[in-house]
Amino acid sequence: MRALIVVDVQNDFCPGGALAVPGGDAVIEPINRLASQSPLVVATRDWHPADHGSFAEQGGPWPVHCVAGTPGAELHAGIDPELVDAVIDKGQEVGQEGYSGFEGTGLERLLREHDVDAVDVAGLALDYCVMATALDARRAGLEVTVHRGATRAVEVQPGDGERAVERLRAAGVEVVD
Ligand code: VGL
Ligand code: ZN
């Protein structure tokens, strides 16, 4: 059985959000298309406490973003909620980055319960949470396909998106357009 993992398509990662990924909202249409063809769709949310260690005011690298329960942490309204079967929140521990949807969550168990052996991965951001989630899916022994056209990279450093693709391929992840 296949599943689609929709990574962090939240208001704060889309244009106008606190940690906007350039062109972040361009992933919505292709994701809805993938989701409409997928038997199981799991959406992850970055879901941080207000004093999360990744925030600049705590000495971390990022502006405050995706604080649990705030509008910025909601899934973008363009993602068709009818197509989403489950939502997995991550990054809830102050001291854990929580880039991967598998880190400290019930995602692996959920996939096993549904006999998932292959996952499609899309969403935001390619060079952080999409990459970390896809790499962990490989480590969990799943067949993994990242749909690049349904992702966008933050590119803190130019080229980070391309480097993420190289790392993914080196780990045995299939990266398609
Ligand atoms: C993400 C930076 C900080 C992501 C999450 O979803 O890629 N990036 N938190
Ligand atoms: Zn975060």
Side-chain angles (χ1 to χ4, degrees), residues 18-36:
L19 179 41
V21 178
D25 53 349
V27 305
I28 291 167
E29 213 180 281
I31 283 175
N32 283 331
R33 200 157 44 230
L34 288 167
S36 68

Side-chain angles (χ1 to χ4, degrees), residues 7-8 13 19 46 48 54 62 65 90 99 124-125 128-130 154:
V7 178
D8 298 6
F13 293 126
L19 179 41
D46 213 31
H48 295 315
S54 78
W62 305 112
H65 65 278
K90 64 184 182 60
Y99 288 148
L124 304 171
Y128 288 91
C129 290
V130 169
V154 188

Side-chain angles (χ1 to χ4, degrees), residues 53-101:
S54 78
F55 296 167
E57 51 198 32
Q58 313 295 327
W62 305 112
V64 174
H65 65 278
C66 296
V67 173
T70 64
E74 290 306 315
L75 295 178
H76 191 287
I79 297 291
D80 184 349
E82 303 251 304
L83 299 174
V84 177
D85 298 301
V87 175
I88 294 280
D89 294 331
K90 64 184 182 60
Q92 301 193 72
E93 297 290 331
V94 169
Q96 288 184 355
E97 280 288 6
Y99 288 148
S100 165

